[in-house]
Amino acid sequence: MDAHFLPISRVRQVPSVAVVLDVMRAYTVAAWAFARGAEKIVLAESTADALALTARHPGWVALKDGPPAPGFDLVNSPGLLRSADLSGRTVVQKTTAGTVGALAVKHAPLVLCAGFVVAEATARVLRAGGYEEVTFVVTGEDGRADEDLACAEYIAHRATGPDTTAATATGPATETAGAPGATTGPATDTTTAPGSTTDHATADRAAPYLRRAAASRAAVELATGIREGAHADDVALCLELDRFPFAMAATLEDGLMVLRPHTPH
């Protein structure tokens, strides 16, 4: 499998398969929303579009980055979302990077949205499909967010097998990759989630990637309170390896980009 790692700004052609990464926090939040019962997530183009959608559909709930705001029911924080009851609800999500990345590849035949919490399930979809080429969209910091790049590289590694490395790395997303084993940054628990089925060998292989994510700029800003609308547990929740057994696939439905859980076979 040829794996290409691109920032949103360099996605100029429609890929055949796209994996969109936003570890901190859009697609960790999305996975938690499904775990809390959400039926689907509509990825909005703008905050105005998100509010317009919830105005037309009074049962839908709106979610955005940053602090609470009028018209929005939730903020983009797994720590704050994990106690919400979203049974049967539709969530409208607008974030700075994650939703933008998915919308940039909305015409791709297969769009998967991912973070560490659904890493193995995402890799299983790629393995099962036997795809020759996969574009990993590294959404944060114009492709330089090391938590997203580390997760992309880890999924690519898992998708190509434990003894095979992804073939290609292209674009600015590769320029600031942290060294595997870096331990700078906040002290963050990077162990597997209590409910995950990850074995010790997989956890050991993932550890360097999780350490990179724990030392990332996003992790530091969340841990130190620079980013608003955050919970103290957000970084730890974003680094729970394989917390959930499903992948997440986005498709166009009636002109809207809709994300749903996808269970790989």
Side-chain angles (χ1 to χ4, degrees), residues 37-84:
E39 177 187 349
K40 64 184 178 183
I41 298 173
V42 176
L43 306 178
E45 297 269 1
S46 66
T47 54
D49 286 345
L51 292 175
L53 284 167
T54 54
R56 290 201 302 271
H57 304 276
W60 292 11
V61 296
L63 180 157
K64 64 175 277 295
D65 277 334
F72 285 88
D73 309 278
L74 303 166
V75 295
N76 192 46
S77 161
L80 295 172
L81 187 77
R82 61 183 166 176
S83 60

Side-chain angles (χ1 to χ4, degrees), residues 98-198:
T99 58
V100 176
L103 289 165
V105 293
K106 63 184 179 182
H107 295 296
L110 176 63
V111 178
L112 301 172
C113 297
F116 282 109
V117 293
V118 294
E120 181 58 28
T122 305
R124 287 209 311 272
V125 173
L126 298 178
R127 287 198 300 268
Y131 303 107
E132 294 184 358
E133 188 171 21
V134 176
T135 296
F136 291 85
V137 182
V138 181
T139 65
E141 301 174 35
D142 195 30
R144 294 179 172 85
D146 206 28
E147 73 280 5
D148 292 340
L149 182 57
C151 189
E153 291 174 351
Y154 175 70
I155 292 172
H157 173 74
R158 294 296 297 161
T160 53
D163 300 320
T164 308
T165 303
T168 313
T170 307
T174 65
E175 294 176 1
T176 58
T183 56
T184 57
T188 305
D189 181 4
T190 57
T191 57
T192 56
S196 78
T197 57
T198 301

Side-chain angles (χ1 to χ4, degrees), residues 1-98:
M1 183 186 84
D2 287 344
H4 305 275
F5 304 94
L6 298 177
I8 298 169
S9 62
R10 292 194 58 183
V11 178
R12 300 187 179 112
Q13 297 180 332
V14 177
S16 55
V17 179
V19 181
V20 184
L21 286 301
D22 191 331
V23 173
M24 297 186 188
R25 292 163 289 170
Y27 295 130
T28 301
V29 165
W32 270 100
F34 290 130
R36 298 302 301 160
E39 177 187 349
K40 64 184 178 183
I41 298 173
V42 176
L43 306 178
E45 297 269 1
S46 66
T47 54
D49 286 345
L51 292 175
L53 284 167
T54 54
R56 290 201 302 271
H57 304 276
W60 292 11
V61 296
L63 180 157
K64 64 175 277 295
D65 277 334
F72 285 88
D73 309 278
L74 303 166
V75 295
N76 192 46
S77 161
L80 295 172
L81 187 77
R82 61 183 166 176
S83 60
D85 182 3
L86 297 173
S87 300
R89 306 293 292 275
T90 294
V91 176
V92 182
Q93 186 180 33
K94 171 66 180 84
T95 69
T96 305

